[in-house]
Amino acid sequence: MRRWCLLVLLLLLVDCCLCQFPRPCANSEGLRTKVCCPVWEGDGSACGALSGRGFCTEVEVSDEPHGPQYPHSGIDDRERWPLAFFNRMCHCAGNYGGFNCGECRFGYWGANCAEYRESVRGNLLTLSTVEQQKFISYLNLAKNTISRDYVISTAPRADMGENGENPMFSDINTYDLFVWMHYFATRDAFLGGSGNVWRDIDFAHESSAFLPWHRVFLLHWENEIRKLTGDFNFTIPYWDWRDAQSCEVCTDALMGGRNALNPNLISPASVFSSWKVICTQLEEYNSKEVLCNSTGEGPLLRNPGNHDRRRVPRLPTAADVEFAVNLQQYETGPMDRFANMSFRNVIEGFASPVSGLAISSQSMMHNALHVFMNGTMSSVQSSANDPVFLLHHAFIDSIYERWLRKHQPLRSNYPRANAAIGHNDGYYMVPFMPLYRNGEYFLTNKKLGYAYACLLDPGVCKSFGHSSWSRSVFWGLGFAVIAVIAVLICCCLYCC
Ligand SMILES: *[C@@H]1O[C@H](CO)[C@@H](O)[C@H](O)[C@H]1NC(C)=O
Ligand SMILES: *[C@@H]1O[C@H](CO)[C@@H](O)[C@H](O)[C@H]1NC(C)=O
Ligand SMILES: *[C@@H]1O[C@H](CO)[C@@H](O)[C@H](O)[C@H]1NC(C)=O
Ligand SMILES: *[C@@H]1O[C@H](CO)[C@@H](O)[C@H](O)[C@H]1NC(C)=O
């Protein structure tokens, strides 16, 4: 019985802690003390210190200068993240992770986080119908379940009082938590006065951290879904859009077809037609100097292919991807959207995948897909409302992985200084808590616990797929295992 109890405990351990504001720290006390070192329930100590999982320590932020794109300082909560909110947080030892070190680092499992396990992200179009449906139902469950561990802030730190007497945080569902995080990283900076904002600021795009930031974003998302569903083998599928002529995943069985009565809306046969978007009223927030507070703002908009064809003449081709992967340098010149021959700038889509030179009149590669969707996906700050975002970014991440494997870059190939604000190697990614440095997600040898079904070998990739039958048996077994575990938990609660 003891062994089984251990197993159950182990499963409960995995079930913890992610990003944005950890609920235990989002209160007056946390704001006043600037300490976010929550207790790990496993041993009742802050950061699980008694069990050697981690300790509470000073947050040290990098002093390297950032680029000239953002000429202000001391006016935005995201500068020198996370110091506007906290200056002491948990530092986890070994393979432990999470805001209270109660979790494992990505890829590690078990009570001591000693077991490394890799799961495979598959091509959505070649998954079995059962798996496709499971993905859709997980998305919908996330959209309808309040996040247990995280809350969002609904106002700038200054509005919460010097000593945090007026904390302004709010519950949010697990899907929208991520929509909000993407919005928060990309929103305009308030300069003071209605509508007086600085727009050329983005902690997740238009510079070097674009790829590492979205990598961590997807890992977190995947982990939240695992916690929510208890399906610890869940992985985000990708959409291989190379040479696509249309939105192949926009069908009622997958991400939703077009509404016959209004081409900007999703067909009522898809569950996504009932989703409400958040963080879309950007000019309103700017004029009121408030943050998106997760209020529903209307239906998802999507009208694939109805975009301006001068801006996006075609979707990216396999040849475009080859060109990008063959570029030697990760980042170049000003390290922003004007960079020439930079892998990051080409894959992001501000530079041509034919010449490698920056062009401002067109959107290519990653950007092309966003513009092509002609709706909620097309605005940077609100794009994550459309679940196509996940499929798209999983594919972008697989190209990043391919580039890393091909070029085996040294960490010193990632900019240490002078990238746009938030993008240097040593900076912590906004708005993740626990903290992650950009440069740590530029490593090829970093084991993150996932792989891609095919690393894009042309031909192999599109035809790749397990038979539906073997997949169904696999998932059938999966559910049986979950059922057995549930029974064991009940037994344990009763016996231990
Ligand atoms: C949320 O934001 C909207 C739009 O800015 C605003 O109208 C609404 O009053 C806010 N709600 C709360 C609870 O703050
Ligand atoms: C959709 O495309 C049209 C041009 O075809 C453009 O005017 C409009 O702004 C686009 N809408 C979005 C939300 O991207
Ligand atoms: C990129 O290349 C173009 C064309 O050669 C050149 O005009 C531009 O100045 C270059 N940009 C940078 C930032 O080096
Ligand atoms: C998850 O995958 C592991 C290893 O591939 C397997 O042993 C386990 O049974 C799977 N669990 C479920 C719930 O499917």
Side-chain angles (χ1 to χ4, degrees):
M1 202 60 211
R2 208 159 262 247
R3 270 182 60 196
W4 287 115
C5 290
L6 210 64
L7 176 75
V8 169
L9 189 67
L10 183 154
L11 278 154
L12 294 175
L13 290 185
V14 176
D15 186 23
C16 180
C17 321
L18 253 202
C19 39
Q20 234 335 275
F21 296 92
R23 196 180 282 279
C25 307
N27 49 44
S28 290
E29 158 97 354
L31 293 174
R32 183 178 53 76
T33 59
K34 300 194 99 177
V35 176
C36 181
C37 292
V39 162
W40 174 54
E41 311 79 47
D43 67 5
S45 69
C47 313
L50 286 178
S51 308
R53 296 180 77 98
F55 52 94
C56 186
T57 186
E58 200 83 24
V59 174
E60 285 182 28
V61 304
S62 164
D63 284 326
E64 293 290 350
H66 61 73
Q69 298 85 357
Y70 177 72
H72 304 283
S73 99
I75 58 153
D76 191 287
D77 292 344
R78 298 166 297 176
E79 295 172 25
R80 298 170 64 77
W81 186 258
L83 295 187
F85 291 93
F86 304 113
N87 58 23
R88 290 181 71 81
M89 295 182 81
C90 291
H91 179 91
C92 303
N95 293 329
Y96 297 112
F99 62 61
N100 62 2
C101 305
E103 248 198 9
C104 302
R105 287 204 287 146
F106 300 126
Y108 289 84
W109 303 80
N112 298 316
C113 300
E115 183 201 342
Y116 178 72
R117 209 157 83 201
E118 212 154 74
S119 14
V120 177
R121 292 182 179 169
N123 181 336
L124 181 66
L125 293 173
T126 60
L127 297 182
S128 71
T129 310
V130 172
E131 277 179 277
Q132 290 172 341
Q133 286 170 351
K134 194 158 57 76
F135 174 57
I136 310 299
S137 68
Y138 286 1
L139 283 165
N140 207 40
L141 181 65
K143 187 76 173 182
N144 289 291
T145 312
I146 298 290
S147 170
R148 194 190 62 186
D149 296 331
Y150 290 89
V151 295
I152 57 165
S153 65
T154 54
R157 174 64 188 83
D159 295 358
M160 301 190 202
E162 198 164 342
N163 290 310
E165 20 335 324
N166 184 26
M168 292 167 86
F169 297 99
S170 166
D171 277 338
I172 193 159
N173 71 59
T174 302
Y175 187 92
D176 287 346
L177 171 67
F178 287 86
V179 179
W180 190 91
M181 288 169 66
H182 192 263
Y183 147 82
F184 187 80
T186 60
R187 72 181 185 85
D188 303 331
F190 300 146
L191 298 177
S194 176
N196 184 21
V197 296
W198 186 263
R199 294 177 197 272
D200 196 6
I201 182 169
D202 190 323
F203 292 81
H205 304 85
E206 301 192 23
S207 193
S208 318
F210 169 66
L211 294 163
W213 191 95
H214 285 86
R215 168 162 285 197
V216 169
F217 187 75
L218 293 185
L219 280 163
H220 270 287
W221 197 86
E222 204 166 61
N223 201 27
E224 273 291 287
I225 295 295
R226 290 173 176 179
K227 287 159 50 180
L228 179 65
T229 61
D231 178 357
F232 290 97
N233 287 341
F234 169 77
T235 55
I236 295 184
Y238 60 83
W239 172 30
D240 179 354
W241 36 243
R242 289 175 301 167
D243 300 308
Q245 303 295 315
S246 62
C247 180
E248 298 156 336
V249 294
C250 299
T251 62
D252 285 341
L254 299 174
M255 312 319 284
R258 203 185 296 273
N259 184 310
L261 301 177
N262 180 344
N264 292 310
L265 297 179
I266 292 174
S267 147
S270 161
V271 69
F272 300 117
S273 65
S274 66
W275 278 29
K276 295 280 175 284
V277 297
I278 64 165
C279 304
T280 62
Q281 303 300 309
L282 311 172
E283 296 313 318
E284 185 188 326
Y285 313 146
N286 286 348
S287 72
K288 294 183 181 165
E289 297 173 83
V290 296
L291 299 189
C292 160
N293 65 13
S294 85
T295 300
E297 296 170 337
L300 252 177
L301 302 177
R302 192 199 293 150
N303 191 344
N306 182 56
H307 62 290
D308 178 352
R309 284 177 190 267
R310 280 163 308 173
R311 175 145 283 280
V312 174
R314 58 172 171 79
L315 287 179
T317 62
D320 294 342
V321 172
E322 292 315 296
F323 176 88
V325 169
N326 284 317
L327 286 167
Q328 201 99 47
Q329 286 177 279
Y330 180 74
E331 194 59 285
T332 64
M335 302 185 273
D336 58 14
R337 63 182 187 275
F338 303 107
N340 289 332
M341 306 307 283
S342 137
F343 166 69
R344 193 274 315 155
N345 206 33
V346 168
I347 202 72
E348 188 168 2
F350 294 105
S352 163
V354 176
S355 67
L357 301 181
I359 322 180
S360 55
S361 63
Q362 294 194 339
S363 297
M364 288 149 289
M365 302 299 280
H366 153 267
N367 290 344
L369 270 292
H370 281 280
V371 173
F372 176 85
M373 293 299 162
N374 196 240
T376 311
M377 265 283 268
S378 313
S379 144
V380 177
Q381 298 181 41
S382 45
S383 55
N385 277 294
D386 189 332
V388 170
F389 178 100
L390 297 166
L391 304 172
H392 174 39
H393 274 277
F395 192 63
I396 291 289
D397 187 69
S398 77
I399 300 171
Y400 176 37
E401 184 59 24
R402 217 183 128 196
W403 184 87
L404 287 172
R405 290 187 187 187
K406 181 178 171 81
H407 299 281
Q408 302 278 319
L410 299 172
R411 177 126 174 205
S412 56
N413 292 130
Y414 188 94
R416 189 177 48 81
N418 303 316
I421 186 166
H423 292 255
N424 287 341
D425 180 324
Y427 286 18
Y428 289 119
M429 294 181 188
V430 173
F432 294 98
M433 289 181 192
L435 306 173
Y436 302 100
R437 291 188 197 275
N438 295 315
E440 288 169 7
Y441 292 85
F442 183 71
L443 301 177
T444 31
N445 57 0
K446 180 135 187 152
K447 289 185 173 280
L448 297 170
Y450 72 94
Y452 286 96
C454 56
L455 265 181
L456 315 178
D457 294 325
V460 177
C461 195
K462 292 226 167 182
S463 62
F464 178 90
H466 294 267
S467 77
S468 302
W469 184 81
S470 68
R471 285 271 168 152
S472 307
V473 169
F474 176 78
W475 287 114
L477 282 174
F479 285 123
V481 169
I482 290 174
V484 169
I485 287 166
V487 169
L488 282 173
I489 290 178
C490 297
C491 289
C492 269
L493 289 178
Y494 189 74
C495 315
C496 313

